[in-house]
């Protein structure tokens, strides 16, 4: 049975996202997906997804031309969903840039905080399925508490405000699996929902529903 399309979603193309699998996941969740790097197209959409695989500094460099457009979109209270590196880019800075000798590379600063590297002694990258513990209500978390999602990363978000943590996962330490700004319209998952089976599909469907509320 086909899924009824319910939201017009822009998937941001800045050269570092796994666009094919993200598109497929969003379409399965009922979205009509447009891949674009045009900020004007963002504003015509019901929601915007910022995917990402790779290094923080490279991500911010590649996204330089759309930075202002993403921030303006988010500040209008519109839904902006970051995935993996895209989630980390929502924060202010990252230790990853420091490690690579690139200094304090500035993120989008939509969720104040810093991305930190897992401690020495922990296997890096963190790769595999881990349980989600929902810490507070958010539209994307409906029905996912105690479910498992697929992670591949070496850095994790450390928001300035602990209330920004929507869900946690245990990997030697409890770290944020989902973060959101105070208004709730800017949020991100450290894991890949498009690779997380039925749990990921539930999150993407929750996102689509949120975009058309």
């Amino acid at each position: 049975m086909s899924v009824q399309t319910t939201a017009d979603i822009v998937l941001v193309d800045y050269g570092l996202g796994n666009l094919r699998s993200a598109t497929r996941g969003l379409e399965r969740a009922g979205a009509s997906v447009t891949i674009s790097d045009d900020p004007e197209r963002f504003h015509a959409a019901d929601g915007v997804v910022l995917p990402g695989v790779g290094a923080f500094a490279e991500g911010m460099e590649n996204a330089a031309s759309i930075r202002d457009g993403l921030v303006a979109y988010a500040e209008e209270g519109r839904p902006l969903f970051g995935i993996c590196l895209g989630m980390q880019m929502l924060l202010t800075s990252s230790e990853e840039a420091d490690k690579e000798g690139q200094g304090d590379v500035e993120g989008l600063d939509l969720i104040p905080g810093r991305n930190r590297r897992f401690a020495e002694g922990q296997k890096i990258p963190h790769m595999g399925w881990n349980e989600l513990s929902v810490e507070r209500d958010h539209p994307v978390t409906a029905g996912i508490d105690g479910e498992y999602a697929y992670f591949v990363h070496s850095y994790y978000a450390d928001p300035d405000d602990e209330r920004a943590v929507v869900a946690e996962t245990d990997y030697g330490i409890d770290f944020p699996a989902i973060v959101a700004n105070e208004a709730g319209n800017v949020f991100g998952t450290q894991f890949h929902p498009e690779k997380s089976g039925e749990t990921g599909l539930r999150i993407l469907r929750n996102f689509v529903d949120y975009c058309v509320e």
Side-chain angles (χ1 to χ4, degrees):
M1 189 174 87
S2 62
V3 178
Q4 182 180 357
T5 298
T6 57
D8 178 15
I9 303 299
V10 166
L11 186 63
V12 181
D13 181 6
Y14 63 104
L16 289 179
N18 189 343
L19 301 180
R20 182 175 296 179
S21 62
T23 297
R24 190 162 53 243
L26 286 162
E27 288 178 343
R28 284 188 65 203
S32 173
V33 180
T34 300
I35 297 172
S36 179
D37 61 357
D38 180 2
E40 290 189 9
R41 186 65 188 83
F42 303 167
H43 291 275
D46 296 315
V48 170
V49 174
L50 182 66
V53 177
F56 182 85
E58 186 180 6
M60 292 312 306
E61 180 180 352
N62 282 25
S65 64
I66 57 173
R67 178 193 185 100
D68 289 348
L70 288 170
V71 171
Y73 177 86
E75 289 180 345
E76 290 174 359
R78 309 285 298 283
L80 175 60
F81 182 2
I83 295 175
C84 197
L85 174 62
M87 183 216 73
Q88 294 184 4
M89 288 166 62
L90 299 176
L91 274 70
T92 310
S93 62
S94 177
E95 290 181 353
E96 183 175 16
D98 293 345
K99 183 174 182 294
E100 295 176 357
Q102 294 165 316
D104 202 17
V105 176
E106 187 178 354
L108 295 172
D109 198 27
L110 293 168
I111 301 174
R114 186 162 175 80
N115 296 290
R116 303 194 183 279
R117 185 173 173 84
F118 283 114
E120 296 296 328
Q122 289 178 284
K123 186 177 179 181
I124 297 174
H126 168 217
M127 182 181 301
W129 294 84
N130 287 81
E131 186 176 359
L132 302 174
S133 174
V134 173
E135 301 300 309
R136 69 175 178 87
D137 289 339
H138 187 278
V140 299
T141 64
I144 68 163
D145 189 35
E147 300 295 336
Y148 284 74
Y150 186 73
F151 293 81
V152 183
H153 63 117
S154 300
Y155 294 79
Y156 63 91
D158 182 16
D160 291 349
D161 186 347
E162 64 181 15
R163 292 173 298 180
V165 179
V166 174
E168 289 186 335
T169 290
D170 178 14
Y171 185 62
I173 61 168
D174 290 332
F175 71 88
I178 304 175
V179 295
N181 67 348
E182 185 175 356
N185 67 298
V186 177
F187 47 90
T189 60
Q190 180 60 72
F191 56 90
H192 289 271
E194 75 279 12
K195 297 179 181 178
S196 296
E198 289 302 314
T199 300
L201 182 58
R202 179 67 181 266
I203 290 170
L204 294 175
R205 283 178 175 155
N206 289 343
F207 169 62
V208 169
D209 289 345
Y210 174 66
C211 288
V212 294
E213 283 181 353

